[in-house]
Amino acid sequence: MIINENYTKLPGSYLFSDIAKKVNEFKSSHPEANIIRLGIGDVTKPLPPAVIEAMHKAVDEMGDASTFRGYGPEQGYDFLVNAIVENDYKIRGLDITADEVFVSDGSKSDTGNIGDILGLDNVVAITDPVYPVYVDTNAMAGRAGDLLANGKWSKLVYIPCTDENNFIPDLPKEKVDIIYLCYPNNPTGTTLTKAQLKVWVDYAAAHKALILFDSAYEAFITESDVPHSIYEIEGAKEVAIEFRSFSKTAGFTGTRCAYTVVPKALTGYTKSGEKVSLNKLWNRRHTTKFNGVPYIIQRAAEACYSEEGKKQVKATIDYYLNNAKIIREALCAQGLNVYGGVNSPYIWVKTPKGMTSWNFFDYLLNELNIVGTPGVGFGPSGEGYLRLTAFGTLENTKEAVERLKKIS
Ligand code: MLT
């Protein structure tokens, strides 16, 4: 038996596992430390009451033979898919149909698994820094080449997003076939305007490229010129797949529910140039490798769209956005260069005094007992930055901000 050797090229562990290990080590040697975790983007607010109520009801249905459900449709139950179409697309005037929506257990899984239906010879572009799942899953598939000493994979095209270009990615100089875009961005918290996103949609159309648009943080958008969906851009249905999640929106990081939109107008090509529907391929993959999200969880997700659910979800988002503002303002007051945190739960800060990302991470952990995420963990262009999340409690956020005043 021969293993998939691409796995041997990967760094030892996934970024967030690496950080968790470091934090646990610190905790064992400093059991008295009151550590504030603003590292991984995991939420702290409980599920909204409307969601809990729907889950309880669904649990009862599962205990009654007349309402019990076994295998459901792999793509998701109609009640949830229709709620998604109505509330996330129709309401914005976007014509997405039920058979273009695939309910799943997460955008991490979907952005990782989408590679199953894409050829291995495609040239993949990522913005840098980037959510590590895009890179690692392409490395696993063999599309990334080899990891070089400079922290880059030999076959990936890196598109730097730093304060030098105001975090606006430039179009690649070489032709690329697959482009991962995440907006509002993880990790930098920055956004693209409609006009800036259109540049990418036009590029994809002109080069027969595919955009994988991760919109997991869409609910945090506060500014009017920031698109909530890539399908707000003309022509996007022909070139883009969109990933959305209930994780950060409604507290489903542990509950697991997300969805992916694969428009029927979207096609890829065989080597001989024949057009193939990506919707059909993804449907084939999804129905073969996935058994659907549990009924109880889909009812929970549906409840996010009820009148009460919407209000409660909005209150949660506002709570995190207030945390983001508190962190952002405190870091600015320290004279640091701060980005994100306006349309996003992530705050991206330039390290003080030219410290490396990991040195600043260690300083925050050891001296202030605050966990962040070192920017370089998201890619070479993240060096010299650190990410903080607004997903903590208000109390911890305020305490963290007090401690951050000690940065001199
Ligand atoms: C993050 O911290 O970047 C996210 O929590 C990761 C994820 O959503 O998988």
Side-chain angles (χ1 to χ4, degrees):
M1 188 282 293
I2 293 171
I3 59 154
N4 175 352
E5 289 191 28
N6 295 318
Y7 277 70
T8 65
K9 299 179 184 176
L10 289 163
S13 56
Y14 179 56
L15 173 64
F16 292 106
S17 319
D18 228 15
I19 292 167
K21 190 163 163 259
K22 266 187 176 257
V23 174
N24 288 338
E25 277 165 14
F26 180 81
K27 182 91 194 146
S28 347
S29 52
H30 302 81
E32 74 299 339
N34 170 18
I35 299 175
I36 299 181
R37 293 169 194 265
L38 304 180
I40 190 164
D42 196 4
V43 295
T44 51
K45 291 285 271 181
L47 294 171
V51 167
I52 292 296
E53 200 183 308
M55 279 173 101
H56 279 155
K57 193 163 162 264
V59 168
D60 288 342
E61 285 180 56
M62 293 299 275
D64 181 332
S66 67
T67 46
F68 168 78
R69 315 268 179 142
Y71 291 127
E74 293 91 347
Q75 301 89 338
Y77 284 103
D78 284 350
F79 60 78
L80 178 56
V81 171
N82 291 336
I84 290 167
V85 167
E86 277 305 314
N87 293 283
D88 289 342
Y89 294 101
K90 282 235 166 87
I91 226 159
R92 294 189 188 281
L94 303 175
D95 180 26
I96 294 297
T97 55
D99 52 359
E100 296 177 314
V101 175
F102 297 84
V103 174
S104 77
D105 70 340
S107 292
K108 176 178 176 175
S109 335
D110 282 357
T111 53
N113 289 329
I114 197 75
D116 276 15
I117 62 166
L118 306 173
L120 292 182
D121 296 333
N122 287 305
V123 177
V124 176
I126 50 143
T127 53
D128 173 26
V130 77
Y131 179 43
V133 170
Y134 315 153
V135 172
D136 288 5
T137 55
N138 275 291
M140 289 168 179
R143 268 185 225 98
D146 295 304
L147 184 56
L148 307 173
N150 63 5
K152 292 187 178 178
W153 289 85
S154 58
K155 287 193 188 164
L156 295 184
V157 173
Y158 288 76
I159 303 171
C161 292
T162 65
D163 54 356
E164 278 169 33
N165 60 3
N166 231 345
F167 301 93
I168 312 299
D170 287 326
L171 289 175
K173 292 184 184 56
E174 54 279 83
K175 180 194 173 322
V176 302
D177 307 303
I178 300 170
I179 304 150
Y180 288 82
L181 295 178
C182 172
Y183 288 98
N185 187 253
N186 179 15
T188 65
T190 58
T191 51
L192 294 185
T193 61
K194 286 182 190 155
Q196 287 161 345
L197 186 54
K198 184 168 187 311
V199 169
W200 287 89
V201 170
D202 291 348
Y203 173 93
H207 293 84
K208 294 186 172 167
L210 169 68
I211 296 177
L212 298 173
F213 191 74
D214 187 346
S215 187
Y217 300 94
E218 166 277 334
F220 293 85
I221 295 172
T222 59
E223 292 179 325
S224 61
D225 197 27
V226 179
H228 287 254
S229 162
I230 193 165
Y231 304 121
E232 288 175 45
I233 313 299
E234 205 191 324
K237 279 211 288 190
E238 280 81 38
V239 299
I241 292 178
E242 178 161 286
F243 304 89
R244 291 255 194 127
S245 169
F246 294 92
S247 284
K248 315 297 161 95
T249 309
F252 277 55
T253 50
T255 308
R256 310 306 312 152
C257 196
Y259 66 88
T260 290
V261 177
V262 189
K264 283 179 290 184
L266 178 60
T267 51
Y269 299 86
T270 62
K271 279 194 177 146
S272 55
E274 202 183 314
K275 278 190 174 184
V276 179
S277 155
L278 291 192
N279 179 287
K280 273 198 183 141
L281 296 191
W282 185 245
N283 190 51
R284 187 71 173 85
R285 190 254 170 226
H286 202 65
T287 49
T288 305
K289 291 198 181 181
F290 188 63
N291 256 335
V293 172
Y295 174 71
I296 298 161
I297 306 302
Q298 292 195 54
R299 280 293 184 198
E302 181 198 21
C304 298
Y305 297 111
S306 69
E307 281 316 307
E308 279 310 298
K310 279 185 200 167
K311 273 189 224 147
Q312 293 162 4
V313 165
K314 182 168 184 314
T316 300
I317 301 285
D318 288 347
Y319 176 92
Y320 293 134
L321 282 172
N322 181 49
N323 285 350
K325 185 164 181 274
I326 291 173
I327 298 173
R328 198 185 144 84
E329 286 176 358
L331 293 170
C332 286
Q334 290 296 107
L336 296 173
N337 292 327
V338 187
Y339 309 92
V342 175
N343 297 294
S344 161
Y346 295 129
I347 297 100
W348 188 242
V349 56
K350 191 123 179 114
T351 60
K353 297 180 200 145
M355 281 168 107
T356 66
S357 295
W358 277 109
N359 282 348
F360 192 43
F361 170 89
D362 287 336
Y363 166 80
L364 290 184
L365 179 60
N366 296 325
E367 306 300 324
L368 307 184
N369 301 159
I370 293 173
V371 182
T373 308
V376 73
F378 296 100
S381 295
E383 181 56 285
Y385 294 90
L386 181 126
R387 192 192 76 176
L388 293 172
T389 92
F391 286 125
T393 61
L394 176 60
E395 191 190 13
N396 276 348
T397 302
K398 285 184 174 163
E399 167 63 20
V401 157
E402 281 309 306
R403 294 185 197 175
L404 289 169
K405 288 185 182 154
K406 297 194 192 114
I407 300 176
S408 47

